[in-house]
Amino acid sequence: AEPLAVRWTTNDAAVATVDSLGTVHPRREGRVRVIATAGGWRTDSAEVTIEPAAARTEVLEDWRNGITDRWVVFGDPQPFIAQLDRGPALAPNGDSTYLSGVYLRRRLPTSNGLGVEVEASIPLTRLEWQNLHVMLLSGDALNRDTLDLRTGRLALLDEPWRVCSVLYPAGESERERGLVLLEGGIQSFLRMPSSIAAGRWTRIRLQVFPDGRCGLAVDGQARAVLDRRVPLGDSATVLIHSYSHRTRILVRRLLVWTGVRPGVDWG
């Protein structure tokens, strides 16, 4: 007799899917039931726990040693370290003409996920030339042909589907002042608390998951996970830049990790 064909399914495709060979493909952490049906009448199942990829800290930056040689500085005027009562902070110093910021020299593997969290103060005093942009982008995207070290102009900015990035405010209008723009294959505009525009220190986290999706969390609360894979390739790096015209936008503590760092319920 011919063997019975087995049909594989899960009860929650948002957590994991299963292919025709019975291989489970995780999408996010959680519990899922994998179901096998043979011949349309014999069924068995097993519950599987999907755990996040273990996180490994790659960079912990507090700027106490200045802008060290692990960062490449760009822009005119260039960023500098501001001395605050609460400790030093990076001040991306872009004006109304050029961007200003830093990017990480290291290229980090993306296979298990990659994340960055910054503690930032983004006081807005006018609608134009004031924003902060944090990006996870392909490691081969930064070279002499793609980044102008004077202006901070990056060709990749015209291809937002190739990055996982967050921009606050989302644009130069009163409405966009209250929004953040999350880009990761697609764009999503998300409401932000008004206290951020007043300069309140805020933790902003970007997470690229092992399946390539891009997520945003603010002060430990998940705001969105975009349902699109970002083609970062085998390695990626971190870039931070800003227009800070007639204000002082600051980045204090910065953390970069491989894997998926705990502390946020991505749902």
Side-chain angles (χ1 to χ4, degrees):
E2 294 184 3
L4 296 175
V6 178
R7 179 174 179 266
W8 297 90
T9 57
T10 68
N11 67 340
D12 190 346
V15 175
T17 59
V18 59
D19 63 25
S20 59
L21 298 177
T23 302
V24 177
H25 300 275
R27 300 200 66 193
R28 63 171 174 83
E29 60 184 288
R31 297 183 69 83
V32 65
R33 183 163 293 279
V34 179
I35 304 160
T37 302
W41 58 272
R42 181 172 295 177
T43 299
D44 200 357
S45 66
E47 194 168 75
V48 176
T49 299
I50 307 298
E51 297 182 349
R56 173 180 172 178
T57 298
E58 302 288 350
V59 177
L60 177 57
E61 184 64 79
D62 61 10
W63 313 107
R64 294 186 184 279
N65 295 318
I67 303 175
T68 63
D69 58 5
R70 63 179 158 194
W71 300 97
V72 176
V73 173
F74 61 88
D76 182 11
Q78 290 196 342
F80 63 94
I81 300 301
Q83 300 299 328
L84 312 175
D85 292 341
R86 302 174 66 179
L90 174 72
N93 199 26
D95 60 15
S96 60
T97 304
Y98 298 138
L99 285 160
S100 173
V102 298
Y103 70 83
L104 188 65
R105 292 183 186 272
R106 290 181 62 190
R107 306 298 186 257
L108 300 170
T110 59
S111 57
N112 290 326
L114 180 65
V116 59
E117 183 171 275
V118 299
E119 188 179 12
S121 172
I122 316 171
L124 303 180
T125 62
R126 55 186 297 166
L127 291 178
E128 295 181 321
W129 311 116
Q130 297 182 357
N131 60 41
L132 179 68
H133 204 165
V134 181
M135 309 170 69
L136 291 168
L137 67 162
S138 174
D140 62 9
L142 290 170
N143 56 52
R144 294 182 182 275
D145 298 326
T146 59
L147 178 66
D148 186 324
L149 290 179
R150 182 185 178 211
T151 68
R153 179 61 190 170
L154 181 66
L156 203 64
L157 295 177
D158 297 324
E159 301 175 340
W161 54 274
R162 294 180 59 194
V163 301
C164 173
S165 75
V166 58
L167 173 66
Y168 178 77
E172 297 180 339
S173 71
E174 285 289 354
R175 175 182 174 274
E176 291 168 321
R177 183 188 183 99
L179 302 175
V180 64
L181 173 60
L182 176 63
E183 294 183 310
I186 55 177
Q187 295 183 332
S188 180
F189 292 88
L190 305 166
R191 178 65 57 184
M192 296 290 274
S194 59
S195 58
I196 294 181
R200 177 178 66 83
W201 287 98
T202 304
R203 288 183 294 116
I204 300 171
R205 178 181 298 198
L206 284 175
Q207 176 70 59
V208 174
F209 295 91
D211 64 4
R213 294 176 300 146
C214 173
L216 170 69
V218 177
D219 288 334
Q221 299 296 316
R223 302 302 301 271
V225 178
L226 300 179
D227 194 19
R228 189 72 60 88
R229 180 180 178 276
V230 181
L232 293 182
D234 294 333
S235 69
T237 191
V238 177
L239 183 146
I240 300 170
H241 65 198
S242 171
Y243 285 114
S244 192
H245 184 53
R246 296 185 179 178
T247 189
R248 177 63 60 83
I249 292 173
L250 300 169
V251 173
R252 197 165 57 193
R253 185 175 180 272
L254 179 146
L255 185 65
V256 184
W257 60 88
T258 49
V260 180
R261 191 173 179 84
V264 173
D265 181 6
W266 294 103

